[in-house]
Amino acid sequence: MELHMVSFGMGSIDEDFTYNWLGLDRKFIKDANYAAQENRPLFSWIPSLLQPKSVGDIRLRTSDPLDYPLIDPRYYENEEDVKTMVAGIKIAMKISETAAFKAIGAEINPHNLNLPGCTQYGKGDEYL
């Protein structure tokens, strides 16, 4: 697991960038109300799985070498990958709650704890 800290957050970047860079559905972006975070100093933790156990595949779409291949990454197919990512998210949240972060007024964005399409999973590991 690698934990990146970046100097922007959802709401400090515009909808087009969020859609194009992260590939989030525009309806999700609006429903999550990230615009409410505009003009606030934000940062984000981005946990990255460095040695996933899930294995995808790449296949030829056609015999034409200029056709894009079929790519199925099979992200999180292996349960260990899911557990590792959940652990990484928890670590990021714990770091955010340290005295050093509290001293600068940092807090977890409450919007991220009630994302549209996720609330049915409660507040525990299933949600994360």
Side-chain angles (χ1 to χ4, degrees), residues 14-101:
D14 68 28
E15 181 182 318
D16 287 335
F17 181 81
T18 303
Y19 172 78
N20 292 321
W21 186 63
L22 298 176
L24 295 177
D25 179 85
R26 289 186 190 274
K27 181 178 179 341
F28 172 84
I29 295 167
K30 286 187 185 338
D31 290 349
N33 195 24
Y34 286 119
Q37 301 303 310
E38 287 179 8
N39 302 316
R40 293 187 63 203
L42 301 171
F43 68 90
S44 297
W45 294 111
I46 302 175
S48 300
L49 193 58
L50 297 180
Q51 297 178 340
K53 294 185 177 5
S54 301
V55 178
D57 62 36
I58 300 174
R59 292 178 285 126
L60 295 176
R61 183 182 305 266
T62 68
S63 60
D64 181 346
L66 299 178
D67 278 349
Y68 289 105
L70 297 170
I71 301 172
D72 182 358
R74 295 195 181 113
Y75 294 131
Y76 304 113
E77 191 170 79
N78 186 298
E79 187 62 30
E80 282 301 307
D81 292 347
V82 175
K83 289 178 183 177
T84 302
M85 284 299 288
V86 168
I89 293 167
K90 287 179 175 180
I91 289 168
M93 292 172 79
K94 280 189 182 220
I95 294 170
S96 299
E97 295 169 348
T98 62
F101 279 95

